[in-house]
Amino acid sequence: MYRKPEEEKPKTFASNSLTNFRNSNKMLLIPSPPSSSSSSLPAIVQSRRHPLFHLHTSPFRNSLSPRRILHFRPCAVNGTTAVDSFTEKSGYLFDLTAYEAESLAEYSVSKIAAIYRRKPLLVLRRLLQVGSSLGRWFGLRVIDDLRERSDLMFEVRAAELRNILVELGPAYIKIAQAVSSRADLIPPSYLDELSLLQDQIAPFSSKLAFDMIEQELKIPLDELFSEISPEPTAAASLGQVYQARLRRNGQVVAVKVQRPGVQAAIALDILILRYLAAVFRKVAKLNTDLQAVVDEWATSLFKEMDYRREAKNGRKFRQLYGSLQDVLVPQMFMEHTTRRVLTMEWVKGQKLTAVKDLYLVEVGVYCSFNQLLEYGFYHADPHPGNLLRTSDGKLAYLDFGMMGEFKQELRDGFIEACLHLVNRDFDALAKDFVTLGLLPPTADKQAVTQALTAVFQNAVSKGVRSISFGDLLGNLGTTMYKFKFRIPSYFSLVIRSLAVLEGIAVSFNPNYKVLGSTYPWIARKVLTDNSPKLKSSLISLLYKEGVFRIDRLESLITESLRARMEKSSLRQDLEIQSNRVVVKEVLSFALSEKGSFLRDLLLQEIAKGLDALGLATLDSINSVTATRIPFGSSVSVSMMTKEDVNNLRTLGRLILLLSGSQENPSNQMILQGGNKNQFTGLDEASVREVLSVLSVIPELPPESQQQILNLPVEVARRLISRVTARTLRRLWS
């Protein structure tokens, strides 16, 4: 694993890598209103980059003008025209009546269709705009190829594509944001340009933004803030952010203001995408309901445009994950939040992609594990602009508009699928795909199993730490088409959430595998969770036709310890730890309350092994006795069955596992011996291993030591029960 970087001297950080609070006198200082008891602040400070807005206050200003629907048009700011390209090229989409605007508050296909059914010319104009803009760009790419100047024009075409997406609006920008995190799939020039779409889109007028803040919060700007940045510190597809200081307590906050017209533009674009999805599904003869996938994405997108919902999501996210080590979730100010304005704690930091901190990527993996598999409430839009490294080395999450819910049965199914994939149990994996809704129950599971074996066998042969999440999805493509896999609506958001994290890590470590970093937490959950379904899965994984598969238990425990060590900030691979540390971790884990189910399994297998050891000892005594008796038979009859030999071998491997020993030549007698007489006792190395376990006991917590005192009685009880049952069987046979 990766060590946490050593603390460095504080550097200058700003949210989304932009300006710091009051840096170079770029803050707008707002004088207190005359009714305030506080003393007046200095006069408004002029920015070196752009003129500031002089927000004059009046003692007669007791109320705001009635709320109105903003028809966004070019407006003058201190004598200069400030119109962003989205408004300039797509502003014709914004003209809606008050009734039409309110009907777009929630995503409803029928309501959207009803609005634009009455606007056929507007729909046609939008289709022509999208088709001509993208068609012209693709045409230029073809011409570049024909003229053999693709390399020369690569950066130019990348910049042109970014500009086209900005002009077309938020729906297309959101798609590009999802793609921009995959450094392993996108050429560098395009990656650089598309990454600008995360938080560096041309902003709309600040005058319009300040008017919207006053209208939404129903309070004059000068009464709410003592300072506010004259220009946005970041601008994204749905809104832009200002840095401000609350007048009442001096708290530095981020104020996000929604971009006018986004709902109208997104609604029409989604209507068009739904139509194209239906056509593509019919032409390609796909089994996946592509319209349902679009609807799931659109529902999340419309929820993201309601900042009240985002604030509630952020507060819930903070409650669930804000206490995780090295994770920071900003505070939400609900009293200063409406549907179009959000006020939250200001977070100072750099983009995670800019600092290349792989440790924080692993913090993100652990946080994602908790989101997806512990609580089921996850961040569905973790693009690089929403993940920051703070000045004190923590991972900060921003933007909680697009969140997802992962139901318990799907969480369990996802865990089982990961277990079966890693352990190459492709027959069970085919059944998991049915549980997850990827395959219909009527699918030919035997044929699917054979196909999955062919697809995944090589991918998982090098071990879980070498499995690439992106490669798995790529290899699965042909099989999905052949067997008519369905992509459930929830699945696209879950996959995106994981793929984005791997994409960020791959950008500065091509060998990073997000599944390899997630699996230790999955292994720990399987070993400790009280879910009946996961307990049943663990039994199925460890036993085949009644035979205990010790190698799978070794793998699960080894991986789960790797997760525990990471969480405790040791951040070191298990292999470089001393045996003593490993023994302590294994015992603490098995003797804890969460390890009770695993402890029962171990006691059961130890009892079986001791029973087999007793039989092997009797066989050895009988063999020696027979050779010393005159005229005795030189052939002794063994009391051990094949099952007993396997149980004895399992006992030997359990001793190695609990003692933290690795396999070495001196241990091969226990692990591989084919002659049952080789198991008649413990050699000197085995005794040392047992003593190493005993030497750690005083270092364990008192409750664990108490559990150890109860173990001999429990093992003896199970051993007596087993010996009695075998004796009765032999008597009656």
Side-chain angles (χ1 to χ4, degrees):
M1 301 318 304
Y2 298 87
R3 295 178 183 272
K4 179 177 177 179
E6 295 182 0
E7 294 296 331
E8 300 175 352
K9 293 182 179 180
K11 297 180 180 179
T12 301
F13 292 100
S15 177
N16 296 322
S17 304
L18 296 177
T19 57
N20 278 320
F21 185 67
R22 301 190 67 183
N23 182 29
S24 301
N25 292 329
K26 295 169 189 160
M27 293 300 296
L28 177 63
L29 303 183
I30 308 176
S32 302
S35 58
S36 174
S37 60
S38 61
S39 59
S40 299
L41 292 175
I44 297 174
V45 179
Q46 290 289 338
S47 169
R48 296 177 182 176
R49 293 189 178 179
H50 7 245
L52 301 179
F53 303 122
H54 294 253
L55 303 182
H56 300 289
T57 59
S58 170
F60 305 103
R61 183 180 181 182
N62 297 320
S63 61
L64 296 171
S65 59
R67 290 187 57 185
R68 61 186 183 275
I69 300 298
L70 292 170
H71 297 274
F72 191 32
R73 287 287 179 264
C75 57
V77 180
N78 289 349
T80 61
T81 301
V83 181
D84 62 289
S85 58
F86 169 52
T87 303
E88 182 181 357
K89 299 293 184 179
S90 303
Y92 62 90
L93 298 172
F94 302 167
D95 284 321
L96 297 177
T97 66
Y99 172 77
E100 289 172 338
E102 287 301 319
S103 66
L104 295 179
E106 299 286 341
Y107 178 65
S108 170
V109 177
S110 59
K111 290 182 179 179
I112 295 174
I115 291 173
Y116 291 105
R117 195 177 292 118
R118 299 190 296 268
K119 303 174 184 289
L121 293 180
L122 187 145
V123 175
L124 179 60
R125 181 178 176 181
R126 184 60 169 175
L127 284 170
L128 290 175
Q129 180 192 3
V130 174
S132 61
S133 299
L134 295 177
R136 178 180 177 275
W137 182 83
F138 278 111
L140 291 174
R141 285 297 312 272
V142 172
I143 294 174
D144 291 339
D145 289 339
L146 293 176
R147 293 183 176 180
E148 297 183 352
R149 60 172 192 171
S150 297
D151 295 340
L152 181 64
M153 300 297 293
F154 215 68
E155 294 184 5
V156 175
R157 300 297 177 229
E160 288 176 349
L161 178 60
R162 176 178 59 81
N163 291 330
I164 289 172
L165 294 174
V166 170
E167 292 173 359
L168 293 180
Y172 299 91
I173 291 173
K174 282 291 181 182
I175 295 173
Q177 284 177 346
V179 175
S180 67
S181 62
R182 297 299 309 194
D184 52 335
L185 302 178
I186 305 300
S189 297
Y190 283 83
L191 192 67
D192 292 341
E193 291 293 336
L194 295 181
S195 64
L196 297 177
L197 297 175
Q198 293 162 6
D199 56 14
Q200 297 184 45
I201 298 174
F204 63 91
S205 162
S206 287
K207 182 180 186 301
L208 186 62
F210 292 159
D211 286 344
M212 184 181 291
I213 293 174
E214 291 188 328
Q215 291 174 27
E216 288 289 318
L217 298 181
K218 302 184 186 307
I219 183 173
L221 204 66
D222 55 338
E223 291 184 12
L224 182 58
F225 305 118
S226 60
E227 298 172 283
I228 190 168
S229 56
E231 296 295 335
T233 60
S237 57
L238 300 183
Q240 58 196 40
V241 178
Y242 293 87
Q243 191 182 49
R245 187 186 293 277
L246 292 175
R247 185 175 293 280
R248 61 182 173 85
N249 60 7
Q251 171 80 45
V252 180
V253 296
V255 183
K256 184 159 72 169
V257 187
Q258 191 170 109
R259 189 181 292 271
V262 291
Q263 282 183 311
I266 287 175
L268 178 54
D269 287 333
I270 286 174
L271 198 65
I272 294 172
L273 286 174
R274 288 188 88 256
Y275 172 76
L276 295 177
V279 173
F280 183 75
R281 180 188 181 188
K282 187 174 182 180
V283 172
K285 298 180 180 180
L286 298 177
N287 198 43
T288 297
D289 188 350
L290 293 182
Q291 285 189 322
V293 174
V294 173
D295 287 338
E296 179 75 13
W297 175 66
T299 300
S300 297
L301 197 52
F302 267 72
K303 289 179 180 178
E304 188 176 359
M305 288 185 284
D306 186 347
Y307 288 169
R308 294 169 301 187
R309 188 188 299 270
E310 178 177 348
K312 292 178 182 177
N313 288 340
R315 191 162 59 176
K316 181 178 179 180
F317 197 89
R318 180 183 172 94
Q319 290 171 350
L320 293 177
Y321 316 117
S323 60
L324 295 180
Q325 181 174 316
D326 295 326
V327 171
L328 186 147
V329 182
Q331 178 185 357
M332 301 290 156
F333 295 90
M334 303 296 296
E335 66 275 20
H336 300 314
T337 297
T338 67
R339 202 173 96 184
R340 296 184 178 90
V341 175
L342 170 67
T343 306
M344 60 184 283
E345 175 188 354
W346 178 265
V347 178
K348 200 160 69 169
Q350 286 181 300
K351 284 185 185 179
L352 189 56
T353 49
V355 294
K356 299 184 177 181
D357 190 336
L358 198 54
Y359 162 67
L360 285 188
V361 171
E362 294 201 354
V363 171
V365 167
Y366 174 59
C367 189
S368 293
F369 163 79
N370 278 273
Q371 294 173 46
L372 290 171
L373 302 181
E374 287 288 354
Y375 298 101
F377 182 71
Y378 63 94
H379 198 302
D381 191 25
H383 66 73
N386 292 335
L387 298 172
L388 303 181
R389 183 189 189 276
T390 65
S391 55
D392 57 350
K394 293 185 177 182
L395 177 66
Y397 281 82
L398 304 177
D399 196 349
F400 306 99
M402 189 176 288
M403 309 296 289
E405 297 277 355
F406 208 18
K407 296 179 180 178
Q408 183 64 54
E409 60 269 23
L410 296 176
R411 302 204 302 261
D412 290 345
F414 190 84
I415 290 173
E416 289 177 319
C418 290
L419 284 175
H420 295 145
L421 172 66
V422 171
N423 289 281
R424 289 174 263 190
D425 191 346
F426 300 115
D427 182 49
L429 184 61
K431 297 176 182 177
D432 296 332
F433 282 179
V434 174
T435 302
L436 292 171
L438 295 169
L439 277 174
T442 56
D444 185 348
K445 295 182 182 62
Q446 184 175 357
V448 173
T449 298
Q450 293 175 352
L452 293 178
T453 302
V455 170
F456 292 144
Q457 186 70 45
N458 292 333
V460 300
S461 60
K462 295 180 181 179
V464 63
R465 302 186 200 183
S466 301
I467 299 176
S468 169
F469 188 75
D471 290 346
L472 287 181
L473 295 178
N475 295 338
L476 191 59
T478 304
T479 303
M480 293 177 70
Y481 181 80
K482 179 180 178 181
F483 291 96
K484 304 298 181 183
F485 273 53
R486 299 177 297 189
I487 304 298
S489 54
Y490 77 88
F491 198 70
S492 58
L493 292 179
V494 172
I495 294 302
R496 182 191 176 198
S497 179
L498 292 174
V500 165
L501 268 177
E502 184 168 82
I504 294 173
V506 165
S507 66
F508 48 87
N509 182 359
N511 297 320
Y512 188 83
K513 305 293 185 287
V514 72
L515 185 57
S517 291
T518 306
Y519 187 69
W521 305 108
I522 293 176
R524 190 189 69 156
K525 183 172 179 63
V526 171
L527 290 172
T528 61
D529 200 275
N530 290 322
S531 164
K533 187 173 182 180
L534 288 186
K535 286 183 178 179
S536 176
S537 299
L538 180 59
I539 294 294
S540 300
L541 185 71
L542 297 181
Y543 289 91
K544 183 177 183 180
E545 298 177 354
V547 178
F548 186 67
R549 294 186 278 192
I550 181 66
D551 55 325
R552 294 192 170 184
L553 178 63
E554 288 174 334
S555 174
L556 283 173
I557 291 181
T558 300
E559 291 295 332
S560 68
L561 289 180
R562 193 158 63 94
R564 288 169 62 84
M565 288 185 174
E566 290 170 6
K567 188 176 180 182
S568 63
S569 301
L570 295 179
R571 322 292 180 189
Q572 297 177 8
D573 283 337
L574 184 62
E575 289 78 9
I576 65 173
Q577 299 294 310
S578 68
N579 285 353
R580 190 176 187 82
V581 173
V582 175
V583 171
K584 186 176 180 180
E585 288 286 336
V586 171
L587 290 179
S588 297
F589 177 61
L591 296 171
S592 66
E593 182 179 351
K594 288 186 175 182
S596 59
F597 186 67
L598 172 63
R599 185 167 64 250
D600 288 341
L601 289 179
L602 292 176
L603 291 176
Q604 178 178 314
E605 293 305 317
I606 289 173
K608 288 181 181 179
L610 291 176
D611 180 34
L613 180 61
L615 292 176
T617 303
L618 289 176
D619 278 357
S620 179
I621 293 173
N622 290 339
S623 177
V624 172
T625 303
T627 58
R628 294 183 179 182
I629 296 177
F631 310 108
S633 173
S634 60
V635 179
S636 60
V637 178
S638 175
M639 301 176 65
M640 295 183 68
T641 63
K642 184 178 180 180
E643 179 186 352
D644 292 325
V645 174
N646 287 333
N647 290 339
L648 190 55
R649 183 177 293 113
T650 297
L651 177 63
R653 294 186 67 167
L654 283 175
I655 292 175
L656 295 181
L657 177 63
L658 295 174
S659 65
S661 299
Q662 303 295 320
E663 295 183 19
N664 55 58
S666 66
N667 293 327
Q668 296 306 307
M669 180 186 69
I670 293 178
L671 299 179
Q672 300 177 357
N675 187 336
K676 63 182 179 296
N677 289 328
Q678 290 178 329
F679 299 99
T680 55
L682 296 175
D683 64 358
E684 183 180 349
S686 300
V687 171
R688 285 200 305 270
E689 288 154 5
V690 172
L691 291 177
S692 70
V693 175
L694 297 177
S695 67
V696 172
I697 292 177
E699 301 176 13
L700 297 176
E703 56 272 18
S704 296
Q705 295 182 30
Q706 184 61 43
Q707 284 283 359
I708 289 179
L709 295 178
N710 298 331
L711 292 183
V713 176
E714 183 62 26
V715 171
R717 184 183 65 80
R718 293 171 185 256
L719 182 58
I720 292 171
S721 175
R722 181 175 178 82
V723 171
T724 302
R726 185 182 64 252
T727 303
L728 291 176
R729 282 198 307 270
R730 291 186 177 181
L731 286 176
W732 287 105
S733 63

